[in-house]
Amino acid sequence: MRFSIPGEVLEALQRLNDAGHEAYLVGGCVRDDYLGIPPHDFDICTSAYPDEIINCFPNEKRVEVGKEHGTVGVILNNVQIEITTYRKDGPYQDNRHPEYVSFTRSLAEDLKRRDFTMNALAWHPYSGTIDLFGGREDCDKKIIRCIGSPAMRFTEDALRILRALRFASTFSFSVEKAAAFAMYEKKNLLKRISAERIASELNKLMVGTRPAEVFFQFPRILFEVLPLLEPMYRCPQRSVFHSYDVWEHTLYALDKTPSELAVRWAILFHDSGKPHTVTYDPDGTTHFRGHQQVSVRIARETMETLKQSKALTDEVCLLVDHHDDRIGPDNLQYWISKLGTETFFNLMHVQRADLLAHAPHVAERVTSHDALVNRAEELINSGACLTLNDLNIDGRTLIENGFNPGPFLGETLNYLLDRVINGFENNDKQALLSLAMKRLDEYNKQNNKSN
Ligand code: ATP
Ligand code: MG
């Protein structure tokens, strides 16, 4: 292993060995290390059965993580380590879970049940890497290859289809031909996988290094889990602004986004309403009036079906909703204030990617887009007034000057903020106070009249 392994993990391996058991690091951590990526967790597999594992850690605290499946969680020096008995899967029942798992003393059996060759690597400090299925060679060739018959492995557990696509995106690997064929053939089994598992794989795919390439190569598989995107496929866009159809445009744009989950989902959905709103001029020119709102509906329905978090869903829908809004130097402060800085810059990423995926004469506008983003950064760094907190007057000052606490006070502060943001007023305490007093006067007059 090239990356350092936490001392607690080495200690756990040693304790198991001292008691006469085999123990290895296995799966994702060995793969990541081989690929030069720092591992994010260290899984241990062992020939020891669960009670034997527990006996090796008599004084340590344990965490319940699934003893009946062979996994024991122990806490060493405040570090949680998961140790799993070598397992053999029984027959699979629902295209996802084996009917039962049985424990085995054979590492080879345990490695055989793993999905891809690159995920079946094991490592021990003394014996080095155990690689029974050519996982390292496949890593060198950047290939995702099933262990055993791809059709059988994807039928056993259809989630592996999405895991393959996810790894293809994160590692820029290609899927070996027979596996790709079987994935396509078995894609309808994805209907049986839970929304949460699908969402988790899709989210990892989306923030990978090349999601667009995966969508480009495997659209039919992805439409199984994202059916509302399918109408975009081959949907024509005939206008001087576009060089690509709606689906191609979407993927070119996706390719231009930074690895930011909400931005990438938003780009995927931004034009999904187009196939439902298309109209044609007599010469065949296409228009998609109102597609933005339909795209928002499609985004929301998809994200909710996938049981994505509300925060992510709302952010994606907001970005889709505003993807075509004109933001320029004249209304910059308004938009930053309206969206908040994080969402504002996410929207800038969406608009930039969208722009770059248009016809060349439109894509040229990216220069002024980038200048606008610089300007936004300057504006924020200069301490420009963007929120109520930045306003040089507060509720207490208004109360000292005759306002009563209540909704009218809040409305007035927001009114002052609006005036400043839109450039009608300077952020100056005296000027704002006299404006507020004028408003209070009118309010009192009106209320006295109606009494
Ligand atoms: P990640 O980087 O996301 O953690 P991972 O490959 O480690 O990737 P995990 O879900 O942590 O994924 O699984 C750990 C290991 O268990 C995998 O490397 C693989 O060997 C095995 N595994 C996980 N899911 C499956 C599956 N659906 N079918 C077969 N083996 C699996
Ligand atoms: Mg893992």
Side-chain angles (χ1 to χ4, degrees):
M1 300 273 281
R2 61 175 105 179
F3 291 102
S4 63
I5 303 166
E8 292 78 11
V9 173
L10 291 171
E11 155 115 25
L13 289 172
Q14 190 64 49
R15 292 244 204 137
L16 290 157
N17 289 161
D18 288 347
H21 307 295
E22 289 179 14
Y24 292 90
L25 286 181
V26 71
C29 63
V30 189
R31 174 202 67 215
D32 286 354
D33 183 84
Y34 186 74
L35 294 173
I37 302 164
H40 57 84
D41 51 13
F42 293 86
D43 295 325
I44 294 177
C45 65
T46 176
S47 61
Y49 282 18
D51 285 330
E52 296 171 329
I53 300 175
I54 291 169
N55 287 341
C56 296
F57 302 93
N59 303 318
E60 276 73 23
K61 249 208 212 152
R62 285 195 304 278
V63 201
E64 205 36 68
V65 277
K67 191 178 160 213
E68 65 288 0
H69 302 296
T71 304
V72 175
V74 291
I75 310 273
L76 275 176
N77 282 340
N78 293 325
V79 178
Q80 183 174 331
I81 296 170
E82 297 197 356
I83 306 169
T84 307
T85 305
Y86 296 157
R87 287 168 24 175
K88 250 167 42 174
D89 293 337
Y92 279 75
Q93 48 176 357
D94 56 358
N95 308 112
R96 171 76 188 111
H97 303 101
E99 254 170 69
Y100 55 84
V101 294
S102 49
F103 303 140
T104 163
R105 299 283 187 191
S106 155
L107 172 66
E109 284 287 355
D110 183 84
L111 295 179
K112 208 163 82 180
R113 76 178 168 85
R114 293 171 185 273
D115 47 5
F116 307 116
T117 57
M118 64 180 176
N119 288 344
L121 300 173
W123 181 89
H124 185 274
Y126 302 148
S127 45
T129 304
I130 312 283
D131 178 9
L132 305 181
F133 304 99
R136 282 173 300 185
E137 190 184 337
D138 285 339
C139 282
D140 295 342
K141 291 187 190 155
K142 296 177 153 262
I143 284 177
I144 297 165
R145 187 192 308 277
C146 290
I147 296 176
S149 144
M152 226 162 80
R153 303 310 309 281
F154 292 129
T155 308
E156 284 174 357
D157 179 0
L159 185 69
R160 291 172 188 155
I161 298 174
L162 289 185
R163 281 176 56 86
L165 297 187
R166 182 253 283 202
F167 290 125
S169 173
T170 41
F171 299 139
S172 294
F173 277 23
S174 51
V175 182
E176 179 267 336
K177 244 193 195 154
F181 183 76
M183 281 159 58
Y184 183 79
E185 221 186 4
K186 302 291 177 189
K187 63 184 187 308
N188 64 322
L189 299 178
L190 285 169
K191 297 250 179 324
R192 307 196 58 181
I193 304 295
S194 74
E196 291 86 347
R197 298 310 301 255
I198 292 174
S200 155
E201 292 303 327
L202 287 180
N203 286 344
K204 289 177 188 167
L205 186 161
M206 289 301 270
V207 294
T209 47
R210 49 169 210 170
E213 180 64 28
V214 174
F215 274 93
F216 183 74
Q217 280 185 30
F218 302 99
R220 296 283 166 210
I221 297 176
L222 287 152
F223 293 153
E224 285 292 324
V225 289
L226 298 166
L228 299 182
L229 297 186
E230 188 161 0
M232 277 197 282
Y233 196 73
R234 301 253 160 93
C235 174
Q237 288 191 106
R238 282 186 220 104
S239 85
V240 289
F241 304 116
H242 283 283
S243 313
Y244 311 114
D245 71 27
V246 177
W247 180 246
E248 289 167 341
H249 161 77
T250 301
L251 298 192
Y252 275 106
L254 183 59
D255 201 40
K256 301 292 181 200
T257 50
S259 175
E260 180 64 52
L261 189 61
V263 170
R264 290 208 164 150
W265 275 113
I267 273 293
L268 196 64
F269 290 122
H270 79 288
D271 278 350
S272 58
K274 279 191 169 176
H276 308 282
T277 50
V278 62
T279 56
Y280 297 90
D281 284 348
D283 67 355
T285 302
T286 50
H287 300 283
F288 306 96
R289 290 189 190 97
H291 76 273
Q292 299 85 347
Q293 275 60 52
V294 183
S295 299
V296 171
R297 283 207 290 279
I298 288 173
R300 187 163 291 282
E301 188 176 335
T302 301
M303 297 300 268
E304 285 178 358
T305 305
L306 290 173
K307 302 194 178 153
Q308 298 269 25
S309 74
K310 187 173 174 329
L312 178 64
T313 304
D314 288 348
E315 173 83 356
V316 168
C317 290
L318 196 67
L319 296 173
V320 174
D321 191 17
H322 295 303
H323 79 267
D324 275 337
D325 287 347
R326 194 199 63 80
I327 302 176
D330 54 322
N331 60 13
L332 199 52
Q333 203 167 345
Y334 164 81
W335 278 102
I336 303 171
S337 169
K338 179 181 165 73
L339 299 175
T341 47
E342 198 177 327
T343 304
F344 172 81
F345 285 115
N346 278 346
L347 183 61
M348 290 291 98
H349 287 308
V350 167
Q351 293 199 340
R352 185 176 200 275
D354 189 10
L355 205 57
L356 285 171
H358 275 69
H361 71 277
V362 181
E364 274 173 12
R365 285 193 230 144
V366 74
T367 322
S368 55
H369 175 95
D370 290 345
L372 189 69
V373 173
N374 284 340
R375 209 168 157 158
E377 275 160 2
E378 279 166 19
L379 198 65
I380 291 164
N381 292 337
S382 73
C385 179
L386 297 168
T387 69
L388 285 178
N389 279 342
D390 305 325
L391 207 57
N392 274 334
I393 195 163
D394 58 11
R396 217 177 43 188
T397 312
L398 293 188
I399 290 170
E400 282 164 10
N401 283 277
F403 274 75
N404 289 322
F408 182 67
L409 173 71
E411 278 165 32
T412 302
L413 284 169
N414 277 307
Y415 166 79
L416 297 178
L417 179 65
D418 247 29
R419 300 278 304 175
V420 173
I421 282 169
N422 288 300
F424 296 122
E425 216 67 52
N426 288 330
N427 192 9
D428 170 81
K429 187 169 179 177
Q430 276 316 314
L432 294 173
L433 183 60
S434 63
L435 200 63
M437 296 316 291
K438 231 188 246 116
R439 209 166 178 261
L440 179 64
D441 251 12
E442 278 162 27
Y443 177 80
N444 286 337
K445 261 187 223 152
Q446 260 186 9
N447 278 0
N448 289 338
K449 232 191 258 166
S450 56
N451 284 339

